[in-house]
Amino acid sequence: QVQLVESGGGLVQPGGSLRLSCAASGSIFSAYAMGWYRQAPGKQRELVATITSGGSTNYADFVNGRFTISRDNAKNTVSLQMNSLKPEDTAVYCCYAKIHSVLYYDRDYWGQGTQVTVSS
């Protein structure tokens, strides 16, 4: 079984920073792409950022330079450094990975999510 486990969520004041991390475990050959999505109550899930194994990144427009995604290919981990956080960033953030493993050539996996709350 491949599993994604997130960490780093919590409560932060507006303008503050958080760093989210996600580790993929299992018999993994490679993670073609990893990233972060988020979903606020009553809203659709939306992409935050993705990064390929080659280091190509993609960010949602609302990020506006505030976040940075990175990964460690050897460890199959991905991180999201979030700065200048706003109340509207409050959501459950889920880790995503497209993984080539012992069992599957290409399969999508999702973490359980970590809560990020931006409030005074």
Side-chain angles (χ1 to χ4, degrees):
Q1 285 273 16
V2 172
Q3 293 184 319
L4 305 181
V5 179
E6 303 107 327
S7 63
L11 175 65
V12 65
Q13 294 182 338
S17 299
L18 284 174
R19 184 175 179 86
L20 306 182
S21 296
C22 174
S25 62
S27 299
I28 298 170
F29 292 140
S30 66
Y32 302 119
M34 302 186 76
W36 295 91
Y37 290 71
R38 72 184 189 184
Q39 186 169 24
K43 300 182 67 176
Q44 298 288 326
R45 184 174 65 187
E46 61 183 346
L47 179 146
V48 179
T50 59
I51 184 168
T52 69
S53 60
S56 179
T57 59
N58 181 48
Y59 295 94
D61 288 341
F62 65 76
V63 169
N64 196 28
R66 299 178 299 135
F67 303 167
T68 301
I69 190 169
S70 61
R71 64 182 288 167
D72 186 329
N73 291 337
K75 297 181 179 180
N76 292 315
T77 59
V78 62
S79 297
L80 184 70
Q81 178 66 48
M82 303 188 293
N83 301 321
S84 301
L85 284 163
K86 307 173 182 179
E88 51 263 44
D89 293 318
T90 296
V92 174
Y93 285 70
C94 293
C95 180
Y96 160 83
K98 183 181 291 292
I99 289 174
H100 175 35
S101 69
V102 170
L103 297 179
Y104 302 98
Y105 287 115
D106 189 339
R107 187 177 183 184
D108 294 339
Y109 293 88
W110 296 89
Q112 292 185 325
T114 184
Q115 177 70 46
V116 171
T117 302
V118 185
S119 176
S120 298

